[in-house]
Amino acid sequence: MARWIEKYRSILDFTLSSLVRRKGKNLSLLVVYVLVVFMLGSAMFLTEAMKREASLVLKGAPEMVIQRLLQGRYDPIPMSYLEKIRGIRGVISAEPRLWGYIYDSAIGANYTLMVPRNVALPSGEIMIGNGISRRRMIYSKDMMSFNLSNGSSRVFTVRDVISPESELVSADLVLLSEGDFREIFELPSTHATDLVVKIRNPKELVTVAKKVMELLPDTRPIIRDEMVRTYDSVFDWRGGIVTVLLMMALLAFVILAWEKASGLSADEKREIGILKAIGWETSDVIAVKAYEGLLISFFSFTVGILLAYGHVFFFSAALFAPAMKGWSVLYPDFRITPFVDPYQVAVLFFLTVVPYTVATIVPSWRAAIVDPDSVMRS
Amino acid sequence: MIKLLNVRKGFNLGRPNEFVAVDGVTLSMEANRVTVLKGPSGSGKTTLLSLIGCMARPTSGRIILQRGLPREYLFPNGGDTTEVEVTSLPERFLTEIRRRTFGFIFQQFNLLKGITVLENVMLPAFPLGEKHGVVKKRALALLEMFGLSGRALAKVEWLSGGEAQRVAIARALMNNPPVIIADEPTAHLDSKLSSAFMEIIARLKDQGKTAIIASHDPLVFEAKMVDRVISVRDGMLEGDTA
Ligand SMILES: Nc1ncnc2c1ncn2[C@@H]1O[C@H](COP(=O)(O)OP(=O)(O)OP(=O)(O)O)[C@@H](O)[C@H]1O
Ligand SMILES: [Mg+2]
């Protein structure tokens, strides 16, 4: 037992000095490897975090939202529709919602203005999301003005900054009173932005939606499950843009691994011959190559994953930002809540470390079965 | 102690470039002797050495290691045969025998570049699983013996030809093998270094070792410590001083 340990310790020692020996080659390998893990890891962390953010958004979303369409475009919905909807069997309640976007030319971003359902804010007071607070450097008790579409502007007092459960949802949010909302958007009290409907039994969602369309042909009911599905297909790393990205990175990696597999240099072959000639067994030579593969793999994987973590959660996936979420200037300094799925890290580990290690062992095995007498001729 | 019976070695058999490098050699070598295989280039000396050293298997014929080799070298874990027929052993045992019985000194030295002299000398001991400290001590003692103590931590590519060869000898002696096999050991050495090499061989012989050397260098086969010169031509034995 002690012999066995001593033997593999010695072989490990030799592997380490061998790795240092081929510095240039191993360094370039390391860089590519780290890069691949970094790309894959970043994509993985980002999509997973976005999915989580999205599910937080949707958790609070109503089961059914009803919008009105006019000539195929969105239009405010009459409050009179409420009664008709409440009359449908299976509907528990129907409430109006008031929300809309306003553009702030000062920072070039859109805010979401919304009238909260549970708190009634006094006229002239607002609550703002922390994205806005950070960008405009406006805090509690400060004043904030909005330019209205008619050219005038209105000043509000900030009552509070909203503490985030999910930054993605609240960063650009402005809460205000119904009166102020209607004034800003010039929305008469007979209309609302859309309606939210609560339904007794989720199984009846589709039936209720059909009834609504029959009753009010100019409306479009949106069911939460549909939104969930849309989000999922966008953010799911097994099906979406990310998959394509992933496939490309993996392909690059496989090419790298096979390049290495086929490229056992004459020097390396000769060395294997020498080792065999001086009494190393095939298994000892393979042990060296396996250590080599594992050392490079583990090191690159760890560094790549740590870099990806930092990139996504400390630098807000700066490299991917243009592709992933270019919606608002509020988001560049938006930090994604760290969230790591160990299952996915494990999958990434097996997709990189295992094939790479195999690709290092296989060619050395081929070389190790050649007769050691080959080294007696130059 | 080593017997070859009608040994043949062919390359590329059954193909147009078929070539028989060793053709029906029968030979018996004693322990604690210095034997030189001499012959022109292409006569089959290297091939013969690699057969004797268990580096390659003959196409036909038998190679037998006999008692006379210290038993622990042949059977480190015990065993009761007095002879072992190398030709029929599986690869694993061949490696084991090669490791414990033979120390090889190659024509091009075959040191591993980029690692130190010390590591090179220690390499043959690694698969045995001895304590690292013990192996290192033994390697340092060998380097000392060849006047290389000061070069232990040098990279092998910095060595002169003579130094490189002494490192190769030290490596060959690392596992304390009873038989030293050297292929054209003086090919890259001037006459002074060649004589020095033969002195080392004489010393090893005094210590009880057996040496088998392939060479067409008169400095080697005419040296006084050589017991026997075997001439090889076209893969066959032509003459023998024994
Ligand atoms: N692997 C091989 N495949 C084909 N032919 C081989 C092989 N190895 C050796 N030979 C041939 O066998 C013959 C004997 O070769 P060997 O190397 O044993 O000669 P040698 O006496 O050592 O020559 P030298 O003095 O030049 O080293 C040569 O003609 C060589 O071309
Ligand atoms: Mg030769």
Side-chain angles (χ1 to χ4, degrees):
Chain A
M1 189 62 194
R3 266 185 177 257
W4 186 84
I5 292 170
E6 205 58 46
K7 170 172 167 175
Y8 285 98
R9 221 204 82 185
S10 302
I11 292 179
L12 183 61
D13 273 0
F14 171 71
T15 309
L16 285 173
S17 47
S18 272
L19 280 176
V20 175
R21 205 149 49 114
R22 281 188 279 275
K23 241 178 270 141
K25 186 184 161 207
N26 287 319
L27 221 64
S28 54
L29 208 73
L30 228 62
V31 168
V32 176
Y33 203 143
V34 166
L35 221 72
V36 168
V37 174
F38 170 76
M39 290 287 290
L40 291 176
S42 293
M44 192 183 82
F45 284 145
L46 185 62
T47 49
E48 204 50 31
M50 296 296 268
K51 239 169 85 174
R52 226 175 71 102
E53 295 276 349
S55 77
L56 276 178
V57 178
L58 292 172
K59 200 175 66 189
E63 282 161 354
M64 189 191 281
V65 170
I66 297 172
Q67 291 178 345
R68 181 183 182 212
L69 297 181
L70 197 66
Q71 292 159 355
R73 301 189 60 180
Y74 163 81
D75 201 60
I77 194 162
M79 299 285 256
S80 58
Y81 284 14
L82 277 171
E83 277 317 305
K84 287 186 186 165
I85 291 166
R86 282 179 188 139
I88 296 172
R89 249 171 61 104
V91 171
I92 300 173
S93 69
E95 298 296 334
R97 281 201 313 190
L98 296 168
W99 60 275
Y101 299 118
I102 195 165
Y103 182 71
D104 182 356
S105 53
I107 60 169
N110 272 316
Y111 301 151
T112 306
L113 265 58
M114 191 180 224
V115 178
R117 261 180 291 170
N118 35 15
V119 260
L121 285 161
S123 179
E125 290 191 13
I126 55 171
M127 286 167 56
I128 60 173
N130 48 9
I132 302 173
S133 169
R134 267 204 302 262
R135 280 291 296 196
R136 295 278 311 253
M137 290 189 286
I138 291 172
Y139 305 97
S140 200
K141 309 287 176 275
D142 287 349
M143 305 296 272
M144 184 174 177
S145 73
F146 292 105
N147 295 319
L148 306 185
S149 51
N150 63 15
S152 64
S153 68
R154 263 212 66 175
V155 179
F156 291 93
T157 311
V158 175
R159 187 191 173 93
D160 219 340
V161 174
I162 305 163
S163 59
E165 182 188 10
S166 153
E167 275 216 22
L168 199 58
V169 206
S170 58
D172 69 341
L173 202 60
V174 175
L175 299 181
L176 71 176
S177 73
E178 181 173 346
D180 291 337
F181 181 88
R182 290 190 185 281
E183 192 188 325
I184 289 175
F185 288 101
E186 293 170 352
L187 187 72
S189 56
T190 52
H191 284 74
T193 312
D194 53 23
L195 309 177
V196 294
V197 180
K198 269 213 186 102
I199 286 147
R200 190 176 302 125
N201 184 350
K203 281 183 196 142
E204 290 171 20
L205 268 171
V206 180
T207 348
V208 172
K210 265 191 203 141
K211 281 252 180 65
V212 171
M213 290 209 286
E214 274 168 30
L215 224 60
L216 307 160
D218 59 344
T219 60
R220 178 178 66 168
I222 302 164
I223 298 171
R224 182 173 65 184
D225 285 358
E226 280 172 11
M227 294 190 267
V228 173
R229 243 176 282 133
T230 314
Y231 268 107
D232 263 358
S233 62
V234 172
F235 290 131
D236 193 342
W237 73 299
R238 273 156 298 211
I241 304 168
V242 180
T243 311
V244 179
L245 214 115
L246 214 83
M247 284 304 165
M248 279 167 63
L250 269 183
L251 191 73
F253 185 73
V254 167
I255 291 170
L256 171 88
W258 279 110
E259 159 92 18
K260 194 178 157 53
S262 53
L264 195 68
S265 68
D267 265 2
E268 278 178 285
K269 263 189 197 140
R270 187 177 169 76
E271 274 189 27
I272 291 173
I274 295 173
L275 290 175
K276 287 212 77 184
I278 61 174
W280 284 46
E281 270 165 50
T282 303
S283 62
D284 301 333
V285 175
I286 292 171
V288 170
K289 292 292 157 186
Y291 274 142
E292 218 178 282
L294 284 173
L295 283 172
I296 290 187
S297 275
F298 270 106
F299 181 78
S300 314
F301 185 81
T302 312
V303 172
I305 277 285
L306 289 179
L307 285 178
Y309 188 93
H311 171 224
V312 171
F313 299 123
F314 296 132
F315 295 95
S316 309
L319 295 177
F320 290 175
M324 297 296 295
K325 45 175 182 53
W327 325 309
S328 163
V329 281
L330 291 173
Y331 292 113
D333 49 329
F334 140 85
R335 297 244 172 106
I336 304 162
T337 322
F339 172 74
V340 174
D341 180 354
Y343 164 76
Q344 292 197 344
V345 176
V347 168
L348 190 57
F349 181 85
F350 281 107
L351 284 180
T352 50
V353 171
V354 172
Y356 182 80
T357 307
V358 169
T360 26
I361 296 175
V362 168
S364 66
W365 184 70
R366 261 194 279 138
I369 56 176
V370 299
D371 274 338
D373 72 326
S374 58
V375 300
M376 296 194 73
R377 307 163 202 287
S378 43
Chain B
M1 133 192 117
I2 300 170
K3 272 203 292 197
L4 277 69
L5 292 174
N6 201 18
V7 167
R8 246 173 85 92
K9 176 72 176 178
F11 293 106
N12 309 319
L13 291 176
R15 275 188 264 155
N17 56 346
E18 174 173 312
F19 188 86
V20 177
V22 171
D23 198 358
V25 168
T26 297
L27 181 64
S28 165
M29 282 181 275
E30 302 292 309
N32 197 207
R33 295 278 184 279
V34 176
T35 305
V36 174
L37 301 173
K38 82 167 194 190
S41 183
S43 56
K45 304 182 295 291
T46 299
T47 310
L48 209 46
L49 279 188
S50 61
L51 289 170
I52 294 169
C54 302
M55 290 254 209
R57 287 169 199 276
T59 310
S60 66
R62 300 162 68 200
I63 297 172
I64 295 158
L65 292 183
Q66 281 182 314
R67 245 158 77 124
L69 287 178
R71 287 186 63 83
E72 68 267 28
Y73 289 117
L74 283 183
F75 302 103
N77 303 319
D80 52 22
T81 22
T82 51
E83 292 190 337
V84 54
E85 172 156 2
V86 179
T87 7
S88 60
L89 288 178
E91 182 61 34
R92 245 187 66 77
F93 291 95
L94 277 189
T95 309
E96 178 76 19
I97 288 180
R98 192 160 67 234
R99 179 156 67 203
R100 295 189 180 261
T101 312
F102 301 102
F104 294 90
I105 300 162
F106 307 97
Q107 186 175 339
Q108 315 73 270
F109 310 141
N110 280 342
L111 299 174
L112 293 199
K113 294 204 184 76
I115 57 174
T116 63
V117 165
L118 180 63
E119 279 177 300
N120 261 284
V121 175
M122 288 167 73
L123 273 182
F126 285 170
L128 299 176
E130 289 173 279
K131 277 229 167 3
H132 206 76
V134 174
V135 173
K136 191 168 167 181
K137 233 163 128 185
R138 202 161 73 233
L140 285 171
L142 279 166
L143 288 176
E144 164 105 60
M145 187 169 128
F146 293 111
L148 289 164
S149 296
R151 312 293 281 151
L153 297 180
K155 298 258 157 80
V156 292
E157 49 267 48
W158 302 339
L159 300 178
S160 71
E163 285 173 329
Q165 184 175 53
R166 278 176 287 148
V167 174
I169 300 170
R171 184 180 67 182
L173 295 173
M174 188 59 206
N175 290 341
N176 195 22
V179 183
I180 300 294
I181 289 182
D183 192 10
E184 310 279 1
T186 59
H188 296 306
L189 304 180
D190 60 28
S191 50
K192 196 169 147 236
L193 284 172
S194 299
S195 308
F197 172 78
M198 290 315 285
E199 285 310 316
I200 292 171
I201 293 294
R203 239 157 74 202
L204 294 175
K205 181 182 163 191
D206 290 343
Q207 289 166 20
K209 301 221 184 279
T210 307
I212 304 167
I213 305 167
S215 180
H216 47 233
D217 182 354
L219 261 173
V220 172
F221 58 76
E222 284 169 8
K224 61 181 184 305
M225 71 292 287
V226 172
D227 299 292
R228 183 181 179 190
V229 178
I230 297 169
S231 309
V232 188
R233 185 177 292 272
D234 297 333
M236 288 183 272
L237 301 193
E238 195 190 41
D240 193 339
T241 62

